[in-house]
């Protein structure tokens, strides 16, 4: 019973983390969208937060285990992928919620690539 309660608690914390991550990513993406309504300094600050290659509805994540860390730009719908959520849970346990900049996940780039490709293949066969 206690394990079930602990699992529920972790799931709720992860869900809150994902919600917060989605909000921050969407807010950051929208900041640089309208240059005319914001000052130059604000636009420059937003540019630091959201790199040009991170399109609306995407976020950057870095697989940091292994010889060479690798950065990926992934769609927000990846946040509903159980394998990716498992990586986020591991990241939360290893690094906490205090990460700044690109989201780091504790796996090798090849592992993250496989998770993302598996998701893409599954999505393409659903059509």
């Amino acid at each position: 019973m206690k394990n079930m309660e602990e699992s529920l608690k972790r799931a709720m914390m992860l869900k809150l983390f994902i919600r917060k991550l989605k909000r921050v990513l969407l807010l950051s993406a929208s900041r640089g969208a309208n240059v005319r309504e914001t000052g130059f300094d604000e636009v420059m600050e937003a540019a630091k937060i959201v790199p040009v290659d991170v399109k609306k509805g995407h976020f950057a994540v870095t697989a940091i285990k292994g010889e060479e860390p690798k950065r990926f730009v992934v769609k927000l719908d990846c946040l509903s992928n159980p394998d990716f959520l498992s990586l986020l849970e591991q990241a939360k346990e290893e690094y906490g919620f205090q990460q700044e900049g690109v989201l780091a996940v504790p796996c090798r780039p090849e592992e993250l690539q496989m998770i993302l490709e598996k998701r893409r293949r599954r999505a393409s066969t659903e059509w």
Side-chain angles (χ1 to χ4, degrees):
M1 186 70 165
K2 189 170 184 162
N3 286 340
M4 179 83 103
E5 290 174 13
E6 187 65 31
S7 293
L8 267 169
K9 183 178 177 183
R10 285 183 180 168
M12 291 302 294
M13 288 178 64
L14 184 59
K15 189 174 183 177
L16 290 172
F17 172 75
I18 290 169
R19 230 184 253 155
K20 183 177 179 181
L21 178 63
K22 282 182 179 179
R23 251 184 283 153
V24 167
L25 292 170
L26 290 173
L27 178 64
S28 296
S30 68
R31 280 187 184 164
N34 195 344
V35 177
R36 293 182 190 131
E37 293 181 12
T38 56
F40 179 76
D41 291 335
E42 292 175 55
V43 171
M44 292 307 293
E45 194 63 33
K48 291 179 194 172
I49 296 170
V50 182
V52 174
D53 65 332
V54 181
K55 299 174 189 140
K56 187 173 183 176
H58 294 71
F59 64 100
V61 61
T62 301
I64 61 170
K65 297 261 172 137
E67 291 181 28
E68 189 72 32
K70 185 174 177 183
R71 183 175 170 272
F72 296 83
V73 176
V74 298
K75 291 183 178 182
L76 283 176
D77 70 355
C78 200
L79 295 173
S80 63
N81 180 337
D83 295 330
F84 190 80
L85 291 175
S86 177
L87 286 177
L88 288 180
E89 180 69 30
Q90 291 173 30
K92 182 191 83 165
E93 289 172 10
E94 279 196 41
Y95 315 120
F97 291 113
Q98 304 306 318
Q99 292 189 52
E100 291 185 24
V102 175
L103 178 64
V105 291
C107 72
R108 293 186 334 267
E110 301 83 34
E111 292 173 297
L112 182 55
Q113 185 72 45
M114 285 184 354
I115 289 170
L116 297 174
E117 285 178 9
K118 185 170 125 180
R119 176 74 173 192
R120 280 187 206 114
R121 274 181 284 185
R122 196 175 317 142
S124 67
T125 59
E126 291 174 0
W127 284 88

